Amino acid sequence: MYTLPSFVHHIPAQRLPDLLQRMPKAELHMHIEGSLEPELMFAMAARNGVALPYPSVQALREAYVFDNLQSFLDVYHAGTLVLKTEQDFYDMTSAYLARAQADQVLHTEIFFDTQTHTGHGLSAEVVINGLHRACIDAPARFGMTASLILCFLRHLSEAEAFESLEQALPLRDKILGIGLASSEVGHPPEKFARVFARARELGFRLVAHAGEEGPPAYIWSALDVLKVERIDHGVRAIEDAALMQRLVQDRVPLTVCPLSNLKLRVVDTLAQHHLQRLLDAGVMATVNSDDPAYFGGYLTENFSQTFAALPMTAAHAYALARNSFDASFIDEGARRGHVAQLDAVFESFA
Ligand code: HPA
Ligand code: ZN
């Protein structure tokens, strides 16, 4: 745990919106296929000869209304059909990194999966090489660092997850960690116990989506069975007092995605979001954009809308930014450098 620098208390409330934009951040929960904006999707469809089932960019955007996670995943999956070449994966990632840079993101850990794309006849190599080349170019092009987390799709079988891991192994050095995404309810973490154990032996960092729509029991088993280091979403932890205590005691980070929770109807309004309650209880929560092209905002927009809806302060903003660096998988030297930049920006607002 850190001590809150005293200048944080001297920041006037009216400066918060500007501070949320200007403060340095890390993003730890963003699915790269969910950053594909309709304009780029149409451009790729044209260059790859793929027909989209929407007449225009505007019609596509208007279709982005969801009832739950599954209704989103169906639309999201359709959007991935335009991705065909290594350059497509490079361009999609570069477009996200440019947006992240504008939001003062200093470091990002990007989720992707290969199963969606191998299911469309692409090789895992095309996907990973395109994404990785964009990450390698990120410091020079966008003044930030980026690394990759390969997610297994939990609606598919354990055998298919093993196959995805196997296909990634020749490109092992290009991947930092392993995660678990897609339809949560009915696909508990235990289903992937053996493949996560294998990934752990191979030295991958481990994370998993749990407690977005699924029950607190899925958060327990992500921690105790999969042995993950962070929980993605995890907002339903608030329903389980013993779990809250565990998260606080072990400093388990939650990568919370407020606009995602709103658009997928996990909450009815941002005013009802549990982010502030999680932070005030001492949980190491962070803010992230999940699938920004679909959910109406990139990282700063997630901060701005959430702070506009809840009585959160500069101390909460500091906690969220600080947690994003402390929860990331960067080395200690880089982390300290980012925290120094964070402190300097907060001090300049006091
Ligand atoms: N949850 C599960 N799977 C996903 C998500 C999410 O929020 N976004 C993209 N794949
Ligand atoms: Zn997600």
Side-chain angles (χ1 to χ4, degrees):
M1 212 33 198
Y2 59 87
T3 25
L4 190 64
S6 59
F7 47 74
V8 173
H9 299 295
H10 304 296
I11 297 173
Q14 75 270 18
R15 299 209 66 197
L16 250 181
D18 194 22
L19 178 62
L20 295 173
Q21 159 61 36
R22 298 253 307 274
M23 67 182 188
K25 316 161 178 75
E27 177 147 64
L28 307 177
H29 183 164
M30 199 290 304
H31 304 261
I32 196 64
E33 297 90 344
S35 74
L36 187 56
E37 291 287 348
E39 290 79 3
L40 190 52
M41 199 185 289
F42 268 84
M44 286 182 184
R47 77 191 188 198
N48 291 330
V50 176
L52 284 170
Y54 297 91
S56 66
V57 162
Q58 193 192 342
L60 179 54
R61 244 194 204 103
E62 282 166 5
Y64 292 172
V65 177
F66 312 110
D67 295 322
N68 53 32
L69 175 58
Q70 192 59 52
S71 69
F72 156 70
L73 289 170
D74 296 342
V75 174
Y76 167 89
H77 183 260
T80 64
L81 287 164
V82 303
L83 294 158
K84 295 286 187 196
T85 67
E86 188 187 308
Q87 191 65 35
D88 294 339
F89 288 91
Y90 180 89
D91 291 347
M92 172 173 62
T93 308
S94 301
Y96 161 68
L97 293 169
R99 281 299 290 105
Q101 181 186 32
D103 283 349
Q104 307 300 325
V105 173
L106 303 186
H107 173 71
T108 179
E109 295 175 5
I110 297 174
F111 289 150
F112 74 105
D113 77 84
T114 53
Q115 288 167 289
T116 297
H117 311 291
T118 55
H120 302 161
L122 277 62
S123 71
E125 203 181 348
V126 159
V127 177
I128 296 168
N129 284 337
L131 299 175
H132 184 255
R133 190 156 55 84
C135 293
I136 289 293
D137 291 348
R141 291 187 69 193
F142 305 110
M144 59 187 289
T145 52
S147 48
L148 296 172
I149 297 179
L150 169 63
C151 290
F152 300 135
L153 299 185
R154 67 203 301 161
H155 68 279
L156 300 177
S157 68
E158 180 199 36
E160 287 165 299
F162 266 112
E163 195 185 338
S164 172
L165 181 61
E166 209 54 49
Q167 289 167 350
L169 285 187
L171 304 142
R172 167 71 187 86
D173 293 347
K174 299 181 178 177
I175 300 170
L176 170 71
I178 295 291
L180 187 62
S182 186
S183 322
E184 187 184 6
V185 174
H187 303 285
E190 295 89 314
K191 180 176 165 186
F192 299 96
R194 291 187 294 193
V195 69
F196 267 68
R198 180 71 188 126
R200 206 156 91 95
E201 281 172 6
L202 290 164
F204 288 103
R205 308 303 296 258
L206 302 180
V207 301
H209 284 55
E212 176 186 16
E213 288 186 345
Y218 285 19
I219 302 176
W220 283 109
S221 56
L223 294 173
D224 292 333
V225 179
L226 302 187
K227 303 193 186 305
V228 301
E229 301 167 78
R230 297 195 298 246
I231 296 288
D232 298 312
H233 292 294
V235 286
R236 288 195 58 193
I238 203 92
E239 299 167 25
D240 181 335
L243 177 57
M244 288 289 283
Q245 202 175 13
R246 166 79 181 274
L247 297 178
V248 173
Q249 239 159 33
D250 290 356
R251 303 196 72 224
V252 178
L254 300 188
T255 61
V256 177
C257 306
L259 285 176
S260 167
N261 295 156
L262 180 67
K263 294 292 154 77
L264 301 187
R265 308 187 68 167
V266 168
V267 289
D268 291 331
T269 66
L270 284 178
Q272 289 163 25
H273 200 282
H274 296 310
L275 178 65
Q276 187 175 354
R277 269 179 287 269
L278 290 164
L279 282 175
D280 290 346
V283 173
M284 192 176 180
T286 62
V287 164
N288 306 271
S289 69
D290 208 7
D291 299 283
Y294 292 91
F295 298 152
Y298 287 79
L299 191 49
T300 294
E301 191 65 22
N302 272 270
F303 276 100
S304 307
Q305 291 198 29
T306 310
F307 274 69
L310 291 167
M312 295 205 288
T313 64
H316 292 107
Y318 185 88
L320 289 163
R322 174 74 196 239
N323 289 347
S324 76
F325 296 123
D326 291 355
S328 76
F329 296 140
I330 48 177
D331 66 55
E332 182 56 18
R335 194 194 63 79
R336 282 194 197 176
H338 294 341
V339 170
Q341 283 193 55
L342 174 68
D343 286 357
V345 168
F346 269 73
E347 195 164 12
S348 76
F349 273 76

